[in-house]
Short mmCIF file of all heavy atoms in Angstrom, two decimals:
data_model
loop_
_atom_site.label_atom_id
_atom_site.label_comp_id
_atom_site.label_asym_id
_atom_site.label_seq_id
_atom_site.Cartn_x
_atom_site.Cartn_y
_atom_site.Cartn_z
N ALA U 29 -4.43 30.44 39.93
CA ALA U 29 -4.23 31.51 40.89
C ALA U 29 -4.03 32.83 40.18
O ALA U 29 -4.57 33.88 40.63
CB ALA U 29 -3.00 31.20 41.79
N SER U 35 -8.07 38.84 37.80
CA SER U 35 -9.38 38.82 37.20
C SER U 35 -9.97 40.26 37.06
O SER U 35 -10.80 40.52 36.23
CB SER U 35 -10.34 37.95 37.99
OG SER U 35 -10.39 38.43 39.32
N VAL U 40 -5.33 40.82 30.31
CA VAL U 40 -3.94 40.71 30.62
C VAL U 40 -3.47 39.26 30.43
O VAL U 40 -2.34 39.00 30.03
CB VAL U 40 -3.63 41.25 32.01
CG1 VAL U 40 -4.11 40.28 33.09
CG2 VAL U 40 -2.18 41.51 32.22
N GLU U 47 5.27 35.10 24.03
CA GLU U 47 6.62 35.68 24.21
C GLU U 47 6.79 37.00 23.52
O GLU U 47 7.53 37.89 24.01
CB GLU U 47 7.64 34.65 23.71
CG GLU U 47 9.10 34.98 24.01
CD GLU U 47 9.37 35.36 25.46
OE1 GLU U 47 8.73 34.79 26.37
OE2 GLU U 47 10.25 36.20 25.68
N HIS U 74 10.87 63.42 25.00
CA HIS U 74 11.43 63.22 26.35
C HIS U 74 12.28 64.42 26.74
O HIS U 74 12.21 64.92 27.88
CB HIS U 74 12.30 61.99 26.30
CG HIS U 74 13.15 61.75 27.59
ND1 HIS U 74 14.45 61.95 27.64
CD2 HIS U 74 12.73 61.41 28.84
CE1 HIS U 74 14.88 61.73 28.85
NE2 HIS U 74 13.83 61.43 29.59
N TRP U 85 -5.50 71.40 35.03
CA TRP U 85 -5.92 70.76 33.78
C TRP U 85 -7.42 70.51 33.80
O TRP U 85 -7.93 70.03 34.81
CB TRP U 85 -5.19 69.47 33.53
CG TRP U 85 -5.20 69.02 32.08
CD1 TRP U 85 -6.16 68.31 31.50
CD2 TRP U 85 -4.21 69.31 31.07
NE1 TRP U 85 -5.87 68.08 30.16
CE2 TRP U 85 -4.68 68.72 29.90
CE3 TRP U 85 -3.00 70.02 31.11
CZ2 TRP U 85 -3.90 68.74 28.71
CZ3 TRP U 85 -2.30 70.06 29.90
CH2 TRP U 85 -2.73 69.45 28.76
N GLU U 90 -18.24 68.28 25.31
CA GLU U 90 -19.23 69.16 24.78
C GLU U 90 -19.73 68.74 23.40
O GLU U 90 -19.57 67.63 22.99
CB GLU U 90 -18.63 70.56 24.72
CG GLU U 90 -17.29 70.60 23.99
CD GLU U 90 -16.70 71.98 23.86
OE1 GLU U 90 -16.47 72.62 24.91
OE2 GLU U 90 -16.46 72.40 22.73
N ARG U 113 -3.64 48.05 32.40
CA ARG U 113 -4.10 47.52 31.15
C ARG U 113 -2.90 47.33 30.24
O ARG U 113 -2.32 48.33 29.77
CB ARG U 113 -5.11 48.45 30.46
CG ARG U 113 -6.40 48.60 31.30
CD ARG U 113 -7.34 49.52 30.59
NE ARG U 113 -8.69 49.32 31.10
CZ ARG U 113 -9.82 49.55 30.42
NH1 ARG U 113 -9.71 49.91 29.18
NH2 ARG U 113 -11.04 49.37 30.99
N LEU U 117 1.10 48.36 21.34
CA LEU U 117 1.03 49.65 20.55
C LEU U 117 1.74 49.34 19.23
O LEU U 117 2.86 48.96 19.17
CB LEU U 117 1.74 50.74 21.31
CG LEU U 117 2.16 51.97 20.48
CD1 LEU U 117 0.96 52.76 20.06
CD2 LEU U 117 3.15 52.84 21.23
N SER U 133 -11.91 52.64 31.00
CA SER U 133 -12.56 52.72 29.77
C SER U 133 -13.16 54.13 29.50
O SER U 133 -13.75 54.70 30.39
CB SER U 133 -13.68 51.69 29.63
OG SER U 133 -13.14 50.39 29.55
N MET U 183 -17.05 53.93 22.61
CA MET U 183 -17.70 53.28 23.77
C MET U 183 -17.14 51.87 24.00
O MET U 183 -17.52 51.21 24.99
CB MET U 183 -19.20 53.22 23.56
CG MET U 183 -19.89 54.57 23.52
SD MET U 183 -19.63 55.51 25.01
CE MET U 183 -20.73 54.65 26.17
N THR U 187 -11.22 50.80 24.42
CA THR U 187 -10.79 52.24 24.28
C THR U 187 -10.59 52.84 25.67
O THR U 187 -11.56 52.92 26.43
CB THR U 187 -11.88 53.01 23.50
OG1 THR U 187 -12.02 52.34 22.23
CG2 THR U 187 -11.42 54.44 23.24
N LEU U 193 1.49 54.82 33.46
CA LEU U 193 2.08 53.61 32.88
C LEU U 193 3.13 53.06 33.85
O LEU U 193 3.74 53.80 34.61
CB LEU U 193 2.68 53.85 31.50
CG LEU U 193 3.86 54.76 31.26
CD1 LEU U 193 5.18 54.03 31.44
CD2 LEU U 193 3.78 55.29 29.81
N PHE U 209 -6.11 55.77 24.50
CA PHE U 209 -5.39 54.71 23.83
C PHE U 209 -6.34 53.71 23.24
O PHE U 209 -7.25 53.19 23.91
CB PHE U 209 -4.40 54.00 24.80
CG PHE U 209 -3.51 53.06 24.04
CD1 PHE U 209 -2.48 53.57 23.29
CD2 PHE U 209 -3.73 51.71 24.12
CE1 PHE U 209 -1.64 52.72 22.53
CE2 PHE U 209 -2.93 50.85 23.36
CZ PHE U 209 -1.84 51.35 22.61
N GLY U 215 -0.88 53.93 16.31
CA GLY U 215 -0.65 54.82 17.49
C GLY U 215 -1.16 56.24 17.33
O GLY U 215 -1.59 56.83 18.34
N TRP U 238 -5.90 65.54 7.59
CA TRP U 238 -5.82 66.88 6.99
C TRP U 238 -4.42 67.07 6.32
O TRP U 238 -4.33 67.67 5.26
CB TRP U 238 -5.94 67.95 8.12
CG TRP U 238 -6.18 69.30 7.67
CD1 TRP U 238 -7.40 69.87 7.35
CD2 TRP U 238 -5.19 70.32 7.47
NE1 TRP U 238 -7.21 71.17 6.95
CE2 TRP U 238 -5.89 71.46 7.02
CE3 TRP U 238 -3.82 70.35 7.62
CZ2 TRP U 238 -5.23 72.68 6.74
CZ3 TRP U 238 -3.15 71.57 7.34
CH2 TRP U 238 -3.84 72.71 6.89
N ASN U 253 -2.95 43.88 5.71
CA ASN U 253 -3.28 43.67 4.28
C ASN U 253 -3.42 45.00 3.53
O ASN U 253 -3.53 44.97 2.30
CB ASN U 253 -4.57 42.88 4.16
CG ASN U 253 -4.54 41.64 4.98
OD1 ASN U 253 -3.56 40.92 4.99
ND2 ASN U 253 -5.60 41.40 5.77
N ALA U 255 -1.50 48.25 2.66
CA ALA U 255 -0.16 48.87 2.77
C ALA U 255 -0.29 50.37 2.82
O ALA U 255 -1.15 51.00 2.19
CB ALA U 255 0.69 48.47 1.56
N MET U 295 -17.97 46.04 6.39
CA MET U 295 -17.32 47.20 5.82
C MET U 295 -16.10 46.77 5.03
O MET U 295 -15.42 45.79 5.34
CB MET U 295 -16.79 48.07 6.97
CG MET U 295 -17.70 49.17 7.40
SD MET U 295 -17.06 50.02 8.81
CE MET U 295 -15.78 51.01 8.07
#
Side-chain angles (χ1 to χ4, degrees):
Chain U
S35 57
V40 75
E47 188 49 35
H74 172 253
W85 198 273
E90 52 177 59
R113 296 181 163 209
L117 160 70
S133 288
M183 294 302 286
T187 303
L193 66 85
F209 188 74
W238 194 86
N253 310 315
M295 267 175 77

